[in-house]
Amino acid sequence: MRSLFLHMRPVFFGSVLGIGGLANGWRAVNRLWGITPVIGEAFAVAAFGLWLLWAVLYAGKWLLHPAEARRELDHPVQGLAAALAPVATLIASLCIGPHVTVLGWALFIGGAGGVLFYAAWSVGGLWQGGREAPAITPVLYLPTVGGGFVSALACATFGQPTLGWMFFGFGMFSWLSMESVFLTRLFQHGLPAEMRATLGIEFAPPVVACVAYLSLTPGTADHFALGLFGYGCFLALVLLRLVPWLRRQPFGPGAWAYTFGVSALPLAALKLVEQGAGTPIELLALPSFAAANAIIGWIAVRSLVRVGRFLRGASAPVAASG
């Protein structure tokens, strides 16, 4: 059991974002076309269950292996992945809120507070300088950009639009200020194979921002929302062009980094259709949603296979000693 806590990493929270994104997508499909709500709620329960599992394991890691947890947090790249914990908590609040209101509110408040605290702490460290080029990756987006936009979406869902716009500004200006920093690093140095999955995070900001913006502006979709969605579609094409290059990285938990944007792109399209966007969004919504389900399903199956191998390996000494 102790080994499970030791092997827990914050990047595992990325699975909550992908599965939770699919849950919200299926909920939108239900609203648009009357597809059974059971699928969306099943994904929501699965996302909440994953969040609960990772939260227990991560808390256990800090209790049983504090030195290892602290060393991980201090890592110039991996440490910022800890921002996924409060962001995943917000996603969990969206998943469970319709079923258990008090719990949803508690997770919303805790997640939003965690986003603010960790973003201030991490950005304070960045401002002190000393970061080398290899440590400049899209993971830098997680505390402020990912945290800001998901907090804005959660605020809209829980009826706090004023606070939501504040979080939206927090995420938007953080994204704009960091985008050129990362792209300059990418143009000059590229990314080694073991870090290329982080480009999935680079894909996420425009489409997550689009979802948050549409949630804060109920009514007819405007040009700004369409512009955000258009940039997200362009980045999706870039990633498709890079698939052979990206696949040089062996499969691992980092693959879940792709699912944040992969699930948010069709969700943005579905919300645009809900809010009156016509062609070509209507033509893109269903195929992109089907593709997202296929991609995230493939990542989930491969992850389960890896977990099975890990559990068999962990139990082998016990069986042998018996």
Side-chain angles (χ1 to χ4, degrees), residues 60 63 83 111 123 147 150 234 244 253 278:
L63 288 172
V123 171
V150 175
F234 169 72

Side-chain angles (χ1 to χ4, degrees), residues 19-308:
I19 302 300
L22 284 185
N24 286 324
W26 279 101
R27 286 170 171 174
V29 167
N30 168 252
R31 294 192 300 269
L32 278 169
W33 299 307
I35 301 297
T36 175
V38 173
I39 301 174
E41 299 316 311
F43 275 116
V45 171
F48 177 78
L50 279 172
W51 170 83
L52 185 60
L53 172 63
W54 303 141
V56 169
L57 291 178
Y58 196 44
K61 183 171 188 174
W62 276 98
L63 288 172
L64 299 175
H65 307 284
E68 176 63 18
R70 182 69 197 189
R71 185 195 64 79
E72 192 174 66
L73 192 64
D74 290 338
H75 190 279
V77 177
Q78 297 177 10
L80 293 177
L84 287 170
V87 174
T89 301
L90 289 168
I91 297 296
S93 76
L94 299 177
C95 290
I96 202 65
H99 304 286
V100 187
T101 304
V102 173
L103 179 57
W105 268 95
L107 294 179
F108 163 58
I109 294 169
V115 163
L116 280 176
F117 173 80
Y118 186 73
W121 181 84
S122 61
V123 171
L126 294 174
W127 283 11
Q128 296 176 52
R131 181 165 290 261
E132 302 293 332
I136 300 174
T137 75
V139 178
L140 291 171
Y141 293 158
L142 290 176
T144 54
V145 183
F149 288 147
V150 175
S151 294
L153 169 60
C155 286
T157 303
F158 284 91
Q160 304 297 317
T162 301
L163 184 60
W165 281 115
M166 294 170 67
F167 272 112
F168 187 85
F170 160 42
M172 176 62 69
F173 289 108
S174 296
W175 175 34
L176 296 177
S177 64
M178 290 185 183
E179 181 85 348
S180 60
V181 174
F182 168 67
L183 290 180
T184 299
R185 178 257 198 267
L186 191 61
F187 295 163
Q188 294 177 345
H189 304 285
L191 280 175
E194 66 272 14
M195 301 177 80
R196 289 176 188 170
T198 62
L199 285 175
I201 303 171
E202 166 70 17
F203 167 42
V207 286
V208 178
C210 184
V211 172
Y213 180 80
L214 290 168
S215 299
L216 288 166
T217 55
T220 304
D222 60 22
H223 294 162
F224 183 64
L226 292 170
L228 288 170
F229 181 72
Y231 185 48
C233 289
F234 169 72
L235 292 182
L237 291 175
V238 173
L239 286 183
L240 283 175
R241 179 255 189 265
L242 291 176
V243 165
W245 183 73
L246 295 171
R247 291 188 64 188
R248 294 177 190 171
Q249 177 175 2
F251 183 86
W256 285 97
Y258 294 110
T259 66
F260 196 11
V262 165
S263 63
L265 177 68
L267 179 57
L270 291 165
K271 288 188 73 66
L272 283 166
V273 172
E274 279 189 290
Q275 295 181 216
T279 307
I281 310 297
E282 290 177 335
L283 299 177
L284 293 172
L286 192 55
S288 64
F289 182 59
N293 279 266
I295 292 169
I296 295 174
W298 177 78
I299 292 173
V301 169
R302 292 204 61 179
S303 297
L304 288 172
V305 171
R306 283 176 61 93
V307 169

